[in-house]
Each structure stands twice: as structure tokens, then as C-alpha cells.
Amino acid sequence: MSVPTASAKSSTLAASADSTPVAVEPMNLKIPITGVVVLLLQGLMAMSAHGSTTFDLSASSDLFQIGNLELNARLVILVAAGIVAAATTVALSRARRRGRIPTWVTVLLGLGFVITFLAWAGAGRHGVIPLVTILSSALGLSVPLVYGSLAGIIGERSGTINIAIEGQLLGGAFLGAVVASACTNPWAGLLAAPVAGVLVALLLALFGLRYRVNQIVVGVVLNVLVSGLTGFLFSTFLSSSPSLNRALRLPALAVPILSRIPLVGPVLFRQTILVYLMYVAVAVLSYMLFRSRWGLRLRACGEHPKAADTVGIKVLRTRVANLALAGALAGLGGAFFTVGSGLSFENDMTAGNGYIALAAMILGAWRPLGSLGAALLFGFATSVAQTLPVIGSSVSPDIISMIPYIVTILAVAGFVGKVRAPAAEGVPYP
């Protein structure tokens, strides 16, 4: 009986390894398919566009006036279609090689569609597309979404599902308006708004972390509770005491010189303190979350709480503290609806922005910069929906009102790609 040698065994193992089928990673075709859809829409818009579109690119306080820019609508659409076609080709090439599709490809697809839509909507109209107004409004409308998505990132990165962002925004808007009216000072309302968000967050921590109630259920219940409580107080006390619900607004703070740069200045550097605090919050959180000891501990509690516990991290304390911080950020975002916009409080005035903030968080892959981009996308859609009827667009107002929600669905379904939530989110510990 012959005994197989070592070389024979190795050759047999090599042959079996060669015959083993290798799993091939599927192509990520979401972005290329999205590009094809955008190209089809651009083709339809190009065929129906007639005349020219006028864009207003300046504000009265700019260093120099650019003036209105009148362009042939069909030519603008065709140029934008060329940009989208090039971006789609790059995305398809990367997808076929199973490579990562660059972020700038997605940005070009979005910009191409936005330019096409604005050129088509204003084609042959007597009105002017106020680009500065649209962009400024988009940035302002994205403020509560950015604060809400940052609150969601901090909560979920530490292991807590924060569905109660809607309630935290609404509580911040209510308390900000009441305190500002009582003190006749919008700055007092700005300081009070985070308190309401923290209170809602502590209730979520009490039931979701301490008593281990399902965190999604607790979040939804808290949203309903805050909605009912603020609605009751609004219909009883605020309606009978208008002095406690006045329209006070934070002043716009213009950055010298920068605020007078055409197009960019009025949009970025002539805003309220809420917008500047948003810039700081995104920058600080982007650094601290991934490059600091605090961020490492926070993410450890959301990914592997047992391992974090073994190295001495107090998981429950860390989660509660970060959930309170998240509530403060969400409450600050709620102040935008009242003292940030110069409006008095109205029943359910947040109008579901907390849930859209959650969608922005997911679209941004639980990263501050990504969530900022997603929130700006949603804010821009809302701004366009509010502006186009003013210029006499033929698009139905009902369809325009649906734009933010359609963009939300398409963005979350088509642009997210491969994202992974924190492994231990929603899992109580210990």
C-alpha cells in the first residue's frame, strides 16, 4: 500500500482550492441607474423647454453686481445632461470594476438635475429665478435637519436609537418661544430651547436605557406626548396670553467683507447665530467623533458595549450623557422654528422635520459631514418648492409641495449605497 507524499498532498490541496468557486462581489448599480434616470428626465425636460431662463445671481449689498443672467433653457439642459452623462459613465466604470464610486460623482448628478429643473421651470417665464434667495432659504431650512441629524448620530453611535428627535425639536421650539416672549429677548429663548431637548432625551434614557423598554416605541410615544402637551398648552395658555407667544427673531450677523462676496456671501455669511453654531457643531463633531478619546469611547459603546465595559468604560453613563448632549443639539435646532425664523409658536410646527433628520442621518452614513450634505439636499428641495410658484411656474403646487418627501425617499433608497448602522444600537446594556 503506497503512502502519499507531502508533495502529492500539497498538489491535491492546491487543486481543490483552485476548483473552489470564488464569490464575486455584486456590482453596485444604484448610482449608474440613478444617472440614467436623471438623463431620461433631462431629455424630457429638454424637449418641452422653450425660450430662455433668467437667473438672479446678486444681492443689493454685494461688493459688485453681477446682474441677471439670461440663458437659453434648452442649451443649459443639454450642457447639464453632458455633465450627468460623464458622471454616469465614471460611476458605471467604477461599478464594473467593483471599485468605490467617488462622492463627486453623486454631487455632479445632483447638481446636474437641479440646474436642469431650474432651467426648465423658468423657461419662457417673465419671472426671474432668485438663486441667492433659494440658496439662502435652503441653508436656513436645513438648520433643524442638521441639528436633528447630529443628535441622531450622537445617540446611535453610542448605542441608543433616538426616534424622539421630532419631540425634541418641537419642545425646543415651544420653550424657546415662551422664554423669549417672557423675557422679551430672543437670546433667552435660544438658551432655553436646549433644555426642552434635554428633558425629552432624559425621558428616553429613563425608559429606554434604565427600564429597557423598546427604544423605538419609547421614541414614538415621546413624540406623541410632546405634540399633545405643547398643543394643549398652546390652545389653553398661549392663546389666552399672547404676550407669552410673540414673534421675536435673532438678528442676522453679517461677517465683514465675506458677507459681501456675490452669491456666496449672502448665503453663508449673513445668517443668524444658529447657522454659525451649526458650522461649529459639524466641524467639532466631525473631529471629536473619530479623532478623540471621547469619540472612541462613544463609538465603543455603540459597537461593542461588553468590550467597552471590560476596559472600564461606564456604558450606561456614557449613553445617558451623550443622549442628553444629543437632546440639547436637537432642542437648539427646534429654536430655528421660532426665534430663529421670527415666528410665534404654532401647533405641530416642526411638521415631521425630526423624521427627515433621521433620513438625513442614514443618508449621511452616521457621519456629520455626510448628514450635513443630506440635510442641505432636503432643505434645497423645500426651498425650490416654496419659490417656484412665485415665479409663475407651470408645475402644479401640489407636486412642488411633494418634492422634499420624494427626494427623501429617492435619496435614502438610491444614494445610500452600503452603510452599516452601529452594531449595538438599540441593545440595552447591561
Side-chain angles (χ1 to χ4, degrees):
M1 181 177 176
S2 60
V3 179
T5 61
S7 59
K9 289 183 179 180
S10 61
S11 60
T12 304
L13 290 175
S16 62
D18 293 338
S19 62
T20 303
V22 179
V24 179
E25 182 182 358
M27 289 192 296
N28 182 13
L29 295 177
K30 287 184 178 181
I31 302 300
I33 291 175
T34 302
V36 172
V37 172
V38 171
L39 283 173
L40 293 176
L41 292 175
Q42 287 176 320
L44 294 175
M45 292 181 188
M47 289 188 292
S48 61
H50 301 285
S52 60
T53 302
T54 304
F55 296 91
D56 183 9
L57 304 178
S58 299
S60 58
S61 59
D62 289 346
L63 285 173
F64 55 91
Q65 298 294 318
I66 299 178
N68 294 342
L69 185 63
E70 185 174 353
L71 300 172
N72 182 279
R74 184 169 294 175
L75 180 61
V76 172
I77 295 174
L78 292 177
V79 172
I83 296 173
V84 170
T88 303
T89 303
V90 173
L92 182 60
S93 175
R94 293 293 183 93
R96 292 181 62 183
R97 295 195 304 244
R98 273 72 176 177
R100 180 181 176 272
I101 298 177
T103 304
W104 61 264
V105 170
T106 304
V107 173
L108 285 182
L109 292 180
L111 287 177
F113 178 76
V114 166
I115 294 172
T116 297
F117 183 79
L118 292 177
W120 171 75
R125 307 291 170 190
H126 296 293
V128 178
I129 302 291
L131 199 57
V132 174
T133 302
I134 291 176
L135 294 177
S136 298
S137 176
L139 181 62
L141 291 170
S142 68
V143 169
L145 302 180
V146 173
Y147 280 113
S149 62
L150 293 181
I153 290 172
I154 293 175
E156 297 203 8
R157 283 284 188 177
S158 63
T160 306
I161 300 177
N162 189 1
I163 301 294
I165 295 174
E166 176 75 8
Q168 293 162 358
L169 290 174
L170 187 59
F174 176 83
L175 192 60
V178 172
V179 173
S181 300
C183 300
T184 63
N185 190 337
W187 295 97
L190 180 66
L191 295 176
V195 177
V198 172
L199 292 176
V200 177
L202 291 179
L203 286 176
L204 176 60
L206 175 64
F207 292 101
L209 300 180
R210 176 66 179 84
Y211 294 110
R212 297 171 173 264
V213 182
N214 185 285
Q215 295 171 7
I216 297 177
V217 174
V218 174
V220 174
V221 169
L222 287 176
N223 289 338
V224 176
L225 173 65
V226 175
S227 176
L229 181 60
T230 55
F232 170 75
L233 295 175
F234 172 74
S235 60
T236 54
F237 296 101
L238 298 188
S239 298
S240 59
S241 302
S243 61
L244 291 178
N245 190 23
R246 288 182 286 182
L248 300 175
R249 183 171 187 169
L250 293 166
L253 305 175
V255 179
I257 301 177
L258 294 179
S259 62
R260 301 186 62 190
I261 299 175
L263 189 61
V264 178
V267 176
L268 298 178
F269 305 112
R270 196 177 299 152
Q271 299 288 347
T272 64
I273 189 65
L274 274 172
V275 177
Y276 298 129
L277 288 176
M278 181 188 74
Y279 298 159
V280 174
V282 171
V284 170
L285 189 58
S286 297
Y287 176 83
M288 295 292 291
L289 196 60
F290 301 102
R291 298 178 181 273
S292 70
R293 181 183 179 185
W294 168 79
L296 179 61
R297 287 170 173 260
L298 181 146
R299 290 184 288 116
C301 293
E303 294 290 346
H304 205 310
K306 188 173 182 180
D309 191 17
T310 58
V311 296
I313 299 175
K314 304 295 183 183
V315 176
L316 183 60
R317 182 189 301 174
T318 301
R319 287 182 172 180
V320 172
N322 285 290
L323 193 57
L325 174 61
L329 284 174
L332 197 61
F336 165 81
F337 295 100
T338 49
V339 295
S341 302
L343 300 174
S344 58
F345 180 82
E346 296 290 340
N347 195 22
D348 286 330
M349 68 185 309
T350 51
N353 274 264
Y355 298 107
I356 299 181
L358 286 172
M361 176 194 69
I362 298 172
L363 175 58
W366 287 268
R367 291 176 174 270
L369 288 176
S371 298
L372 171 65
L376 289 173
L377 172 66
F378 301 146
F380 183 82
T382 306
S383 177
V384 170
Q386 294 175 352
T387 305
L388 289 186
V390 178
I391 65 172
S393 174
S394 60
V395 182
S396 171
D398 295 330
I399 295 178
I400 295 176
S401 299
M402 292 164 54
I403 288 177
Y405 305 98
I406 295 175
V407 169
T408 300
I409 295 172
L410 294 179
V412 173
F415 281 89
V416 171
K418 294 183 178 180
V419 294
R420 183 184 66 84
E425 69 166 4
V427 180
Y429 187 88

